[in-house]
Amino acid sequence: MPPLFPALPPPTNTFAILRHVAADLLSLAADVSGVPSPAIKSASFYYKTGLIWHNLRKFDLASICFEKATEIVSKLDIKKISDSGEKKMILDINIARSRTAWEVLDRKIAINLLNRAKCLLFGSFEHYKALANQFLMFGKSILSKHDTASLNDALKLMNEALDLCEKGLDEVRTREEISELKDLKFKTLRFISAVHLQKGEYESVIKCVRVLREGSFGNGGEVGDHHASLPVLAMKAWLGLGRYSEAEKELRDMVAGTAGAETAKGVFLGLLGRCHVSAKSAVRVAHRVVGDDGDGVSAGAAKVRAKVVAELVSDERVLALFAGDAAAKERTTMHAVLWNCASNHFRVKDYEMSAEMFEKSMLYLPFDLENRNLRAKSFRVLCLCYLGLSQLDRAQEYIIEAEKLEPNIGSAFLKFKVLLQKKDHKNAINQILAMTICLDFTPDFLSLSAHEAVACCALPVAVAALSNLLNFYTSGPPMPTTEVVVLRTLVTILTQEPGNESEILKYVKRAHTRASELGPDYFFGKEEAGRREQNWFAVMSWNFGTKCGKEKNYELCVEFLRFASEFFGGLVDGKVEENSVMVCKSLILTVSAMIALENQKQTALEDTEVKQAIEQLERSEKILTSLSPGSMESELYFMYTFTAYDIQGRLNNPESQQLLVKKFASSKACTPKNLLQIGLAASQGPRSNPQVATFALNESLSALLSSPSPDYQNVALTVRKLIAVASIHRGETDDDAVHSMYKQAYRIMVGLKEGEYPSEEGKWLAMTAWNRAAVPVRLGQIELARKWMNAGVEIAGKVVGMETYRACMEDFISSFENKCHEHKNHTSESRPQMVL
């Protein structure tokens, strides 16, 4: 007795194994009361399990399941089955058995099972369609083997499918069912045509194609078939019959229809090898395949089409069609078709495909003088394509060839563009000069070159392009861009990198010169636009002037600030209302920078420079006096006073210096610190002015002491400077004046908290006062010596940390007084000096 369950393979699919076991268990259960159609359900279980094994390519297990299902349904009375789904399952079981048998190469059983299934159609559209489709699949399977001996078998199977479609069309009624069966019939007939073509039965192919096109068969066959394969089948059949005119007609119809690009190419080349084909036909094929711009074809499809055409037009047999003068018109048309295709791909930035198509188009350009410029144009667009692909060496090769054929500005500019992208800045700058000598050169190309250079971050190249562009503004012809815009762009580019201050100054100077020559309204523009341009140069000059000043580059600082004053002042027309404060600042700082440069170089200003400084200060003074008190900055007035004091000192006119400082001291803008700075400057250097120094320092001291919270650091510094000035200029003849300053310092220190007066300054006062008694002691000037010693002791008593010194001082004074009594008429001994 055979085993109840067949041996199962290793569990490659656990689910399939479980299904199989479940189907066997369900089969053993047989009829179960209360379950409708248990046999159908058992058969269905085996059928679905068989499908799973079939998909896993376990055909022996699949066959077992399908056979079990067949045994179960064979015991049923089919006529009593009313459910359409159950009827369809019985048919599907037969078809599934047949398919499994086909897979294990048992074709006789497979075909026998399909023939048995013809009695299971039940007049159903689905049944006719399923069985016909399976016959067709078996036929296609044989056809795909390319086995000539089996073609008759394939044809028989496809005829069976065709017969089922025709019978099905007589049974079905709905429009959708008719349409589906008719499509299957068309498909079957096309494959039948293919079988006839392989067998060399060309007349039969033509008949099949004619029937398909006319649609003269069956129910609802009034609409013919227009599948893309029909022209191919017909053309090959006509070629087989040697009727070349009909074959070429089919080719033309195919190109005009919806045939695929590869198909059209293959058919055309096949036709080309077997009969005479005209160049005009080749043009039609190429044009049809690539299509027209705006056909709505996707980018991917357009690329596939273009590749097919590229292969077609580069075939030597196709090229031979266009040889000679007779095909000149067709050659021109083909070039236009390929050029337009390349242009379309270039527009969508598919540079690779575009380059290939431009290269193919050049195959249709003769090497004659008439087409010389067109070849140069092709080389230029190829250069652009390879620039887009960043293949710079290829791009350079093409543009060199273009320049040989047509040395115009277009070629020169593209050569510049290639050099720029190759970062060969030196040769790119040289190429700018080469562009300017082209016969068709226009200044626009220099602007374009500058834009390209900026985009490539090649700022020196951009500067070179714009510098050359400036040369055309003095020659007279109108320019598309105003000169001020070019200069502004140049300066802006130069500011992107450090160390370009000298170059920036050169173009700022040019802007000032040209505005002076042409007038500000003409150069900068009128109304608000002109004011903005002018203000831009003014602010730029000011910024770089102050920057150079901070960097101690006073030579450039002077020039930038001088131009800033001119730009802010409205250049030559003297309009200073809106920018009066900035004009004044620029003028004053210009002179300050001149003085700083003099100190830096340690060379005196020349007379012309002094004269220029005086003129600038006079201008600034007029502006200062015209300003309302609210708009005048205190720092600005001080800057003017301080600078004017220095310049006037060169004119040996101390009185004017004193008047200048006194005028400032009486103004509201004056501060104690300002006066201290003036006093310090006036007290030192080769052009010191003790009168001004004394006045400024005294005024500063008074202002400092009158403050609710005096700055005793500055107070101490002022006192020290006053003593120094008095000592140098009046100490020899007016000792009382110097002594009074020490007394004043002492009175300042009285009542202050510990450490409030700077201790170092206090020590300096105490020790210098004490040391001033040394000479009088030696000379026997008792009263004078006593006066300075007492001053030193008094001050020392107010300074923290001088207790020991003061004790020594007092001891010495006591000893000194004793000796004075003992030796009243004799010269007292010199006392030793005490030094910190």
Side-chain angles (χ1 to χ4, degrees):
M1 180 179 177
L4 186 62
F5 298 105
L8 294 175
T12 55
N13 191 313
T14 307
F15 178 71
I17 296 171
L18 293 174
R19 288 275 311 191
H20 202 143
V21 171
D24 286 338
L25 291 173
L26 191 60
S27 174
L28 289 173
D31 293 342
V32 179
S33 60
V35 177
S37 305
I40 291 294
K41 285 182 169 56
S42 180
S44 174
F45 226 84
Y46 272 118
Y47 166 65
K48 292 178 181 178
T49 304
L51 291 178
I52 294 172
W53 284 124
H54 186 95
N55 291 334
L56 291 171
R57 304 194 67 77
K58 304 294 182 181
F59 299 121
D60 53 343
L61 294 174
S63 181
I64 290 171
C65 290
F66 294 141
E67 288 171 2
K68 290 276 189 182
T70 304
E71 288 177 5
I72 294 170
V73 298
S74 65
K75 298 174 183 178
L76 301 175
D77 187 354
I78 297 176
K79 293 180 181 179
K80 293 182 179 180
I81 298 175
S82 58
D83 185 76
S84 60
E86 293 177 356
K87 289 180 179 179
K88 180 67 166 56
M89 188 195 71
I90 295 171
L91 176 67
D92 289 342
I93 291 171
N94 274 272
I95 293 174
R97 277 188 71 194
S98 173
R99 205 162 49 235
T100 302
W102 188 271
E103 290 289 350
V104 296
L105 302 180
D106 195 351
R107 292 183 178 177
K108 289 183 180 179
I109 293 296
I111 294 171
N112 178 264
L113 288 169
L114 288 186
N115 284 324
R116 284 191 210 174
K118 290 180 182 178
C119 64
L120 302 172
L121 297 175
F122 307 114
S124 168
F125 154 74
E126 290 289 344
H127 293 205
Y128 278 104
K129 179 183 174 184
L131 189 57
N133 197 51
Q134 193 59 53
F135 271 112
L136 178 60
M137 286 177 65
F138 285 165
K140 286 166 62 178
S141 176
I142 295 174
L143 188 62
S144 66
K145 304 293 184 183
H146 301 290
D147 183 6
T148 308
S150 301
L151 290 177
N152 286 331
D153 293 336
L155 190 59
K156 287 179 183 178
L157 291 169
M158 291 178 183
N159 280 326
E160 289 284 355
L162 184 63
D163 184 59
L164 285 167
C165 288
E166 289 175 346
K167 290 178 179 178
L169 285 169
D170 291 335
E171 296 287 342
V172 297
R173 292 291 178 267
T174 68
R175 183 175 299 175
E176 291 77 9
E177 292 174 349
I178 291 171
S179 176
E180 286 191 44
L181 268 181
K182 189 170 68 172
D183 288 344
L184 182 58
K185 187 171 183 177
F186 284 158
K187 183 179 180 180
T188 304
L189 197 53
R190 287 195 298 271
F191 275 102
I192 290 172
S193 300
V195 174
H196 284 306
L197 189 64
Q198 287 197 26
K199 293 178 69 178
E201 299 171 351
Y202 301 120
E203 291 286 356
S204 297
V205 175
I206 296 299
K207 289 178 182 177
C208 287
V209 171
R210 187 177 293 121
V211 169
L212 282 165
R213 285 174 171 170
E214 291 174 357
S216 56
F217 53 82
N219 184 9
E222 66 280 357
V223 180
D225 186 20
H226 300 287
H227 194 269
S229 64
L230 295 185
V232 180
L233 292 167
M235 192 195 73
K236 289 184 176 181
W238 288 124
L239 287 173
L241 293 170
R243 297 172 65 174
Y244 300 127
S245 59
E246 285 88 348
E248 186 170 359
K249 180 179 181 300
E250 290 291 344
L251 175 64
R252 287 196 299 270
D253 293 343
M254 178 182 65
V255 171
T258 59
E262 283 287 352
T263 303
K265 183 196 80 170
V267 170
F268 180 79
L269 292 178
L271 186 62
L272 188 62
R274 303 178 69 170
C275 63
H276 173 72
V277 178
S278 65
K280 190 177 293 184
S281 298
V283 172
R284 281 198 295 269
V285 171
H287 183 258
R288 178 59 195 172
V289 173
V290 297
D292 294 315
D293 187 24
D295 282 350
V297 179
S298 67
K303 189 169 186 174
V304 171
R305 287 185 176 191
K307 282 187 175 295
V308 171
V309 170
E311 294 171 5
L312 175 69
V313 300
S314 58
D315 190 284
E316 291 183 359
R317 294 167 293 173
V318 177
L319 287 168
L321 297 176
F322 294 85
D325 295 337
K329 182 178 179 182
E330 288 75 15
R331 191 165 53 242
T332 302
T333 306
M334 179 64 88
H335 175 267
V337 169
L338 299 176
W339 180 278
N340 291 338
C341 176
S343 299
N344 292 338
H345 285 281
F346 188 89
R347 277 194 289 273
V348 297
K349 298 185 179 181
D350 184 358
Y351 301 121
E352 185 177 3
M353 195 69 251
S354 179
E356 185 175 355
M357 294 308 294
F358 278 126
E359 286 170 348
K360 302 306 180 190
S361 74
M362 292 188 71
L363 297 173
Y364 295 86
L365 283 177
F367 288 85
D368 55 18
L369 187 62
E370 183 180 349
N371 289 283
R372 183 185 182 94
N373 291 347
L374 200 51
R375 290 184 66 79
K377 183 179 179 182
S378 299
F379 283 131
R380 286 195 293 271
V381 295
L382 280 167
C383 171
L384 285 172
C385 290
Y386 285 107
L387 275 174
L389 293 169
S390 297
Q391 297 181 24
L392 303 180
D393 290 336
R394 291 282 303 271
Q396 192 169 34
E397 289 173 11
Y398 278 119
I399 200 56
I400 289 172
E401 292 300 317
E403 200 169 34
K404 289 177 184 176
L405 293 171
E406 190 180 19
N408 61 6
I409 185 61
S411 299
F413 176 74
L414 282 178
K415 190 174 182 181
F416 163 80
K417 191 175 174 73
V418 172
L419 291 168
L420 198 60
Q421 293 202 17
K422 292 184 80 173
K423 301 187 185 306
D424 188 354
H425 294 171
K426 181 180 178 181
N427 284 323
I429 291 172
N430 293 336
Q431 187 62 22
I432 290 173
L433 299 176
M435 286 165 54
T436 60
I437 60 175
C438 291
L439 295 176
D440 55 345
F441 167 79
T442 62
D444 289 337
F445 280 94
L446 290 176
S447 298
L448 192 57
S449 299
H451 284 294
E452 292 286 342
V454 170
C456 293
C457 297
L459 301 186
V461 182
V463 170
L466 294 175
S467 298
N468 278 278
L469 181 59
L470 285 176
N471 296 332
F472 292 89
Y473 284 91
T474 55
S475 58
M479 302 289 285
T481 306
T482 59
E483 185 176 5
V484 69
V485 171
V486 176
L487 283 166
R488 171 163 51 78
T489 306
L490 254 172
V491 172
T492 303
I493 292 171
L494 287 167
T495 59
Q496 303 305 306
E497 293 181 346
N500 287 330
E501 287 80 6
S502 297
E503 282 292 299
I504 293 170
L505 179 62
K506 181 173 77 174
Y507 294 111
V508 169
K509 183 177 181 180
R510 175 177 173 122
H512 176 264
T513 302
R514 293 290 289 162
S516 300
E517 292 171 355
L518 303 174
D521 286 347
Y522 185 88
F523 180 75
F524 289 116
K526 297 179 179 179
E527 299 178 351
E528 186 59 32
R531 284 193 293 273
R532 282 198 301 269
E533 292 288 358
Q534 184 176 355
N535 187 67
W536 189 90
F537 277 94
V539 172
M540 183 61 66
S541 300
W542 169 265
N543 289 342
F544 271 94
T546 54
K547 177 178 179 291
C548 290
K550 291 175 182 176
E551 295 172 355
K552 300 188 185 309
N553 189 347
Y554 298 119
E555 193 167 357
L556 292 180
C557 176
V558 169
E559 294 299 317
F560 274 119
L561 291 174
R562 183 171 66 83
F563 288 125
S565 68
E566 294 296 329
F567 287 128
F568 277 123
L571 297 174
V572 296
D573 60 1
K575 294 180 180 177
V576 297
E577 291 83 359
E578 295 182 5
N579 301 304
S580 54
V581 173
M582 291 305 298
V583 173
C584 190
K585 281 185 178 180
S586 302
L587 289 168
I588 294 168
L589 286 179
T590 301
V591 180
S592 297
M594 291 169 69
I595 296 169
L597 180 62
E598 176 189 44
N599 295 331
Q600 190 180 62
K601 289 185 173 181
Q602 296 183 346
T603 55
L605 291 176
E606 297 180 1
D607 292 342
T608 54
E609 292 175 316
V610 173
K611 183 178 179 182
Q612 185 182 27
I614 292 171
E615 290 174 355
Q616 289 172 328
L617 289 171
E618 286 175 352
R619 282 182 61 193
S620 64
E621 184 183 16
K622 289 178 182 177
I623 296 170
L624 281 172
T625 55
S626 67
L627 293 175
S628 60
S631 63
M632 184 172 66
E633 301 176 17
S634 58
E635 192 65 22
L636 185 61
Y637 194 9
F638 167 68
M639 288 163 56
Y640 162 75
T641 304
F642 194 84
T643 308
Y645 169 82
D646 186 282
I647 294 298
Q648 286 185 3
R650 302 161 196 273
L651 305 177
N652 292 325
N653 192 355
E655 291 79 10
S656 61
Q657 287 181 301
Q658 195 162 4
L659 288 174
L660 180 70
V661 174
K662 285 183 177 181
K663 184 177 179 181
F664 173 69
S666 63
S667 69
K668 293 181 180 179
C670 180
T671 66
K673 288 186 179 180
N674 295 154
L675 290 169
L676 176 57
Q677 284 183 267
I678 294 172
L680 293 174
S683 66
Q684 56 197 10
R687 290 184 293 274
S688 62
N689 188 327
Q691 291 79 16
V692 171
T694 302
F695 171 77
L697 291 170
N698 277 319
E699 290 294 316
S700 175
L701 184 60
S702 300
L704 286 168
L705 293 174
S706 63
S707 170
S709 301
D711 183 350
Y712 286 105
Q713 189 68 47
N714 283 335
V715 168
L717 177 60
T718 306
V719 168
R720 181 196 279 249
K721 281 297 177 182
L722 277 168
I723 291 171
V725 171
S727 299
I728 293 170
H729 298 285
R730 299 196 303 177
E732 299 273 339
T733 58
D734 192 358
D735 190 71
D736 289 339
V738 178
H739 185 265
S740 66
M741 291 177 190
Y742 278 94
K743 294 296 289 183
Q744 186 179 22
Y746 170 74
R747 287 192 294 271
I748 292 171
M749 298 169 71
V750 172
L752 293 182
K753 296 177 182 178
E754 184 178 310
E756 196 168 0
Y757 194 94
S759 59
E760 291 301 319
E761 291 295 328
K763 290 176 182 178
W764 181 86
L765 287 169
M767 299 310 295
T768 54
W770 178 263
N771 290 337
R772 283 179 180 275
V775 174
V777 167
R778 289 192 184 99
L779 298 178
Q781 298 173 343
I782 306 302
E783 292 301 321
L784 186 58
R786 185 179 289 122
K787 180 175 69 172
W788 282 113
M789 285 191 287
N790 290 334
V793 171
E794 288 176 348
I795 294 173
K798 300 299 179 182
V799 179
V800 177
M802 291 197 73
E803 291 80 5
T804 303
Y805 286 104
R806 185 182 180 193
C808 292
M809 289 177 181
E810 290 174 343
D811 290 343
F812 185 87
I813 291 173
S814 177
S815 174
F816 178 75
E817 291 294 341
N818 290 332
K819 289 181 180 181
C820 285
H821 287 294
E822 293 174 2
H823 310 286
K824 189 174 182 181
N825 296 322
H826 300 281
T827 302
S828 63
E829 289 182 339
S830 314
R831 66 165 179 85
Q833 295 186 16
M834 292 190 297
V835 182
L836 285 173

